[in-house]
Amino acid sequence: MIRFEAPLLLFCLLLPLLLLLAASRRSGTPMGSSLLSLWREQPDSGPSAPRRWHAPPIALLLLCGALCAAVLALAGPHRSADAAVRITVLLDDSPSMQLEQRQVRLVERIEEWARANGVLLEWRREAQPDWAAHDSAECLWAADALECRPERAGLVLSGARCVPGAVGREGADRLIYDGRELLREKGAYPPERRSVRVRGAMPAALQPLWAIWCEKQALVVNAAAREPLLELVFPAAVCAADREWIGPGFAARVGLAERPGTGSGAAVEPASGRDGPRFSVERGRIESDLCALEWRGAPAAETGVFFASLWEEALLDPLDCVPLAERLQSGAELTAWPSTKQEGLRDSWVAECVWAALLLALAAWGLKPR
Amino acid sequence: MSLLPSPGVRLEDALIARALRLAAAARAVRLREEGLRARGSGAGFEFEGYREYQPGDDPREIDWDLLAREPERVAVRVRRSEQGALWQLLLDDSASMGLGARGKLQCAAELALTVAAWGLFEGASVTLAASSGARAPLAEQIGELPEVARWLESLVAQGGTQLPARSPSLRAQHVFVFSDFSQPTAALARLVPRAGTRLLAVEILSPEEREPPEAGEWLLVDPESGAQRRLSASPERAAEYRRALEARSQQLDQWARATRGACVHLSAAAALEQAFASLRESLRR
């Protein structure tokens, strides 16, 4: 909402209006002439002829515009202090935000601040936010701990103290961090509950990696499982393309099915080289158009890490394991709310009004009847 | 916008010097041209025409041949080289002469001062009168030109007096009438010169009167009568006006030829040098 410092001055806007009314009603610009008789008599040209409405000259219109702009500049337009300001909250949605209800409490704090200041919030929850891309005055960063600091955006950190708890598993054992060291809870994961399934033809070169990963996760590959924690879907069709695939830490020659994955999950294109296979990843399911794989050399450690992280991302896990790095202490609470005053707005409007008035007046002067 | 933006007259200090320079140049040109004519005709003066005999005229100048043919008419020959001649300058100082950014009266006053200087250079006496009835003292010497300028500066365009308030002097060799001839028929009827008098009508119009507007809504006002006329200007109406103005100019020219005089049409915005050159050119025709 727009407010004015001196709203009474807005009555002066009637001045150009009256000027226009008078100009459109008057008989014309007076001009003295001693040769009146030389002008052909017009039927309605006598002094008592009824006045007609006619369009005011362009110079007068410009002058009225200049007057309006000048009046607005004097009135001092600015955005109302109590007007709602929109703030985009970039909320860290990484696993550590679920510890100690950090995200819930942070959201409550932000909403309370927004209510108190009449701020409208727009939430953006991202597991790995691009903080630098949202460093503007209309943004608020919300996380538990951050190494970088914003230049213009607000910042709210819940703090991230050490939170002991489950950090992973090895076979049927659960690994627990107690704040000082890792402990092993034996037999925490019954093997019968953890089955995965492969559909289609998994490339032979990938099968050793898959077997190692399943064993490490205490997963049983069971094609008949009704509710597998993870299902890998490979095409059964003959490969239609044969391409070079350069992935993180490896290079391979791959065959791709004619139809890419049709899963509803987000498409992942891990290849940094030419067209590689597409992995459609969603919770509990990975669909790919990869139908053949031939390593260029022996698979490196990065190869295993790449596929393991891909499978772990989609793995349904009913147990609340949080990586160790997320449980460690990494920062204190910090609050720097973004400004809701939007200062500078009023000045810029006044300056624009003044410029408009000057330019219009100049144009009116240039076009005035000589 | 004032209807009469320039009702008064303001003559710059340097104007007298300009007028004298122009007058001296005009006299030099005349002498050179007359010298050429004299060598051709063998005469020592230029015959200008006749005017009615007045008591006091030199009887030797009476044209006896004309008297023999027309006994009721006693006329004397008038020569250009006649010393002791009188140049009469009549200025219209009615309200309409205040029209225009520069002012028609201002233009008339500057031109009148230059013509007065010219007359004094030629050895003539110069008398000035305004249509309002004001008269300047008779000027007979160049040194009296500043007084002429002061008198001209005292003029103000006002009222509706029409030219001429006074008939041309009976003795005048040259009569210059500076006016916009806003009512030419009435004015010209009273401006019939006598024989031997050369009358030059100097019509001065404002630029707006010479070049009418072609667009816009105007309220035309006659500053003398107060009459008004609304005008929706257009190129067609402007063309009609120009045709009427041309016909009016031709009417003035016809009258001038009929009275052995001349007429010159000037813009109030014209420079003094240009206006004076036009005036001299009209006199030579």
Side-chain angles (χ1 to χ4, degrees):
Chain A
M1 186 176 176
I2 299 172
R3 294 282 176 85
F4 293 92
E5 294 257 320
L8 285 179
L9 274 177
L10 292 178
F11 283 107
C12 294
L13 287 173
L14 291 173
L15 198 66
L17 192 65
L18 292 174
L19 204 61
L20 279 177
L21 277 174
S24 58
R25 283 273 294 165
R26 76 174 189 181
S27 307
T29 308
M31 180 171 68
S33 174
S34 60
L35 305 176
L36 226 56
S37 58
L38 296 190
W39 287 102
R40 184 169 58 89
E41 187 79 38
Q42 297 173 47
D44 58 346
S45 68
S48 61
R51 290 177 173 178
R52 292 178 303 170
W53 292 91
H54 51 81
I58 185 76
L60 187 65
L61 289 174
L62 290 171
L63 183 66
C64 289
L67 279 174
C68 288
V71 168
L72 285 176
L74 288 173
H78 61 92
R79 183 177 286 187
S80 169
D82 55 357
V85 176
R86 287 188 175 274
I87 296 290
T88 300
V89 183
L90 192 59
L91 182 62
D92 182 7
D93 203 18
S94 63
S96 65
M97 288 297 286
Q98 306 304 324
L99 299 174
E100 300 179 301
Q101 293 187 312
R102 289 172 187 169
Q103 192 180 72
V104 173
R105 287 190 287 177
L106 211 50
V107 168
E108 285 177 354
R109 278 183 60 197
I110 293 171
E111 286 182 339
E112 185 181 349
W113 166 80
R115 275 194 300 274
N117 291 277
V119 174
L120 294 177
L121 297 176
E122 182 181 337
W123 295 93
R124 289 178 66 97
R125 296 169 188 261
E126 295 181 14
Q128 292 182 329
D130 184 359
W131 301 106
H134 296 85
D135 190 4
S136 65
E138 296 81 26
C139 279
L140 171 63
W141 295 1
D144 51 356
L146 273 181
E147 291 183 0
C148 58
R149 289 289 181 270
E151 290 184 4
R152 302 188 63 195
L155 176 65
V156 183
L157 298 180
S158 66
R161 66 183 183 87
C162 178
V163 181
V167 295
R169 65 197 71 88
E170 277 190 4
D173 300 341
R174 175 188 290 159
L175 298 178
I176 297 174
Y177 179 66
D178 67 353
R180 288 181 298 141
E181 57 183 9
L182 283 175
L183 303 175
R184 182 181 296 270
E185 183 184 357
K186 289 190 175 294
Y189 302 117
E192 65 274 12
R193 290 184 55 201
R194 300 176 58 81
S195 62
V196 292
R197 185 168 62 194
V198 176
R199 291 175 61 186
M202 174 182 279
L206 207 55
Q207 288 175 2
L209 282 176
W210 171 247
I212 294 169
W213 182 78
C214 288
E215 183 184 351
K216 205 68 179 161
Q217 299 289 331
L219 296 168
V220 176
V221 180
N222 182 3
R226 285 191 175 180
E227 293 180 355
L229 293 179
L230 176 63
E231 182 181 46
L232 300 186
V233 181
F234 290 95
V238 178
C239 292
D242 186 13
R243 293 200 176 94
E244 183 80 12
W245 177 27
I246 301 172
F250 63 88
R253 191 164 189 81
V254 299
L256 303 179
E258 190 169 354
R259 291 181 59 197
T262 55
S264 58
V268 176
E269 293 184 67
S272 60
R274 300 171 194 166
D275 295 337
R278 296 172 65 90
F279 295 94
S280 177
V281 181
E282 56 186 297
R283 298 290 280 178
R285 179 185 170 91
I286 299 177
E287 189 171 352
S288 174
D289 58 352
L290 181 66
C291 58
L293 181 63
E294 180 187 341
W295 302 117
R296 296 293 189 198
E302 288 87 347
T303 311
V305 171
F306 167 71
F307 281 101
S309 61
L310 196 66
W311 295 330
E312 282 175 8
E313 185 182 344
L315 181 66
L316 284 177
D317 190 351
L319 303 176
D320 57 346
C321 283
V322 176
L324 178 61
E326 302 270 331
R327 290 190 176 277
L328 297 176
Q329 179 171 351
S330 56
E333 184 176 328
L334 178 67
T335 303
W337 298 112
S339 171
T340 58
K341 297 294 184 188
Q342 307 254 343
E343 289 176 0
L345 190 64
R346 181 196 149 204
D347 287 344
S348 67
W349 285 11
V350 170
E352 284 163 8
C353 288
V354 168
W355 275 113
L358 285 175
L359 289 175
L360 287 169
L362 202 63
W365 176 260
L367 291 173
K368 73 169 183 157
R370 305 292 178 190
Chain B
M1 183 172 67
S2 171
L3 283 178
L4 297 176
S6 312
V9 175
R10 172 80 179 92
L11 301 180
E12 298 170 4
D13 294 339
L15 188 68
I16 291 180
R18 279 172 72 193
L20 288 174
R21 193 164 54 247
L22 289 170
R27 184 168 190 269
V29 169
R30 184 187 65 78
L31 289 176
R32 188 170 65 246
E33 290 176 352
E34 282 192 1
L36 291 173
R37 282 187 211 138
R39 280 195 295 275
S41 65
F45 59 88
E46 182 179 0
F47 175 68
E48 282 275 307
Y50 296 100
R51 64 174 170 80
E52 286 182 17
Y53 173 81
Q54 299 294 326
D57 281 342
D58 188 347
R60 289 175 296 179
E61 294 302 324
I62 295 175
D63 191 324
W64 299 105
D65 292 334
L66 182 65
L67 183 63
R69 290 195 302 271
E70 299 176 33
E72 71 283 0
R73 185 178 177 192
V74 181
V76 294
R77 284 185 291 266
V78 178
R79 300 168 186 170
R80 176 176 286 186
S81 59
E82 181 181 23
Q83 291 292 312
L86 180 68
W87 287 25
Q88 187 175 30
L89 279 60
L90 297 175
L91 285 97
D92 180 357
D93 60 350
S94 62
S96 64
M97 291 295 283
L99 293 174
R102 187 183 175 207
K104 294 187 273 189
L105 185 58
Q106 172 74 26
C107 175
E110 291 178 5
L111 204 49
L113 184 72
T114 309
V115 171
W118 185 23
L120 293 173
F121 259 110
E122 296 286 0
S125 302
V126 176
T127 178
L128 294 97
S131 61
S132 60
R135 298 188 65 184
L138 185 69
E140 295 178 309
Q141 296 178 355
I142 296 291
E144 292 171 310
L145 211 52
E147 290 178 29
V148 173
R150 278 194 289 277
W151 180 82
L152 287 168
E153 282 190 310
S154 69
L155 296 179
V156 177
Q158 59 187 359
T161 308
Q162 298 300 320
L163 268 177
R166 308 175 62 83
S167 296
S169 167
L170 297 177
R171 294 195 303 118
Q173 180 195 26
H174 286 298
V175 175
F176 298 85
V177 183
F178 302 90
S179 173
D180 55 7
F181 297 103
S182 55
Q183 295 183 357
T185 309
L188 297 179
R190 300 174 60 188
L191 266 178
V192 177
R194 284 161 178 77
T197 297
R198 186 90 193 274
L199 190 144
L200 180 68
V202 182
E203 183 203 37
I204 302 172
L205 297 179
S206 68
E208 294 81 9
E209 289 169 332
R210 289 170 66 90
E211 279 303 322
E214 295 191 344
E217 296 290 329
W218 300 90
L219 180 65
L220 303 175
V221 182
D222 186 328
E224 295 180 16
S225 66
Q228 295 182 357
R229 178 167 297 179
R230 270 200 283 280
L231 168 69
S232 294
S234 66
E236 294 76 22
R237 292 206 174 101
E240 284 181 18
Y241 176 89
R242 288 193 196 95
R243 283 194 290 273
L245 186 64
E246 180 61 27
R248 179 181 180 278
S249 299
Q250 288 175 0
Q251 182 188 3
L252 281 171
D253 291 338
Q254 279 178 357
W255 164 82
R257 280 195 295 273
T259 57
R260 299 181 309 278
C263 184
V264 60
H265 312 279
L266 298 177
S267 167
L272 176 61
E273 286 75 9
Q274 181 189 350
F276 187 61
S278 300
L279 183 146
R280 283 177 46 218
E281 185 62 29
S282 299
L283 278 175
R284 291 173 63 188
R285 283 199 294 264

